[in-house]
Amino acid sequence: GALGGGLIKCMITDTRTSEDTAISERAVTLVQVEVAKRKAHVEEIERQYTASCTAMSNLQAECALVMEKEEKIGSAHKEAALQFERAKQTLDKFKAQAQHFFNQDGTPSPRVNPDSQQKLLTAMRKYKSAYESTKSKEATLRQPLELARNALGHKKTELQKIQHDTMVLELSLKK
């Protein structure tokens, strides 16, 4: 309020906090800060756990695809290896049976008539061609099979690591 002569009345209030109140408020605030830190820590672990579970799920799907691919290539390679072995056995059997019709250099013996020579050479080319093509097919499938097996091994190792990390995070959440 205003007083006469242009003077103004002023009132001062002491708003300082007592020592006991200050100690009490600091204790409450400290507890609130600790609770907030723990809550943030738990939220971070939950976030990491969720991310780890998602990564694990994705990796399991990738493992399944790589495993399926490895099985397909493995099956094709196994079949190619069997065909190669059969072609090799057939060629070896033919060579053993027809060796007395050929000279040391692999040319037909002059004792064999020209028609039989032609049949022998045709048969030899046929068996040799089958042998070479099955050998090539087996070799062509060997490298992708090894790559698929290596990729599968890496994916499984990675999956085991993520599973371990996820388990550790899950245990952290239970504490």
Side-chain angles (χ1 to χ4, degrees), residues 17-71:
T17 305
S18 71
E19 184 73 21
D20 292 339
T21 304
I23 290 171
S24 173
E25 287 177 355
R26 281 194 296 267
V28 168
T29 302
L30 184 61
V31 169
Q32 289 172 342
V33 167
E34 287 298 318
V35 167
K37 282 181 182 178
R38 286 185 182 146
K39 185 177 178 184
H41 180 69
V42 168
E43 287 173 354
E44 176 60 19
I45 291 174
E46 286 175 341
R47 185 195 64 71
Q48 289 174 358
Y49 177 75
T50 302
S52 186
C53 285
T54 301
M56 185 171 60
S57 178
N58 292 341
L59 198 53
Q60 285 171 333
E62 288 177 32
C63 274
L65 289 174
V66 171
M67 193 178 297
E68 184 179 316
K69 181 180 177 182
E70 188 265 345
E71 286 174 3

Side-chain angles (χ1 to χ4, degrees), residues 8 11 23 74 81 95 103 118 120 150 154 159 161:
I8 296 177
M11 198 169 182
I23 290 171
K95 284 180 177 180
N103 294 327
Q118 190 59 39
L120 281 171
N150 288 340
H154 290 304
L159 180 60
K161 184 188 179 311

Side-chain angles (χ1 to χ4, degrees), residues 50-156:
T50 302
S52 186
C53 285
T54 301
M56 185 171 60
S57 178
N58 292 341
L59 198 53
Q60 285 171 333
E62 288 177 32
C63 274
L65 289 174
V66 171
M67 193 178 297
E68 184 179 316
K69 181 180 177 182
E70 188 265 345
E71 286 174 3
K72 284 181 182 178
I73 295 171
S75 177
H77 179 263
K78 185 177 180 180
E79 180 61 32
L82 286 172
Q83 288 176 354
F84 170 62
E85 189 57 38
R86 281 189 219 120
K88 184 177 184 299
Q89 288 173 356
T90 302
L91 179 62
D92 290 346
K93 183 179 175 183
F94 175 78
K95 284 180 177 180
Q97 290 175 346
Q99 75 180 5
H100 59 282
F101 296 111
F102 288 94
N103 294 327
Q104 291 285 345
D105 63 357
T107 59
S109 170
R111 296 176 286 146
V112 179
N113 70 43
D115 189 39
S116 295
Q117 283 181 358
Q118 190 59 39
K119 287 180 182 177
L120 281 171
L121 289 174
T122 301
M124 179 63 104
R125 280 189 219 109
K126 175 183 153 194
Y127 294 132
K128 190 138 179 105
S129 173
Y131 169 79
E132 292 297 328
S133 76
T134 56
K135 179 181 178 182
S136 173
K137 185 176 180 181
E138 185 274 336
T140 301
L141 288 170
R142 191 177 323 126
Q143 184 181 13
L145 178 61
E146 287 303 314
L147 290 174
R149 284 181 178 161
N150 288 340
L152 182 58
H154 290 304
K155 293 285 182 193
K156 283 183 176 181

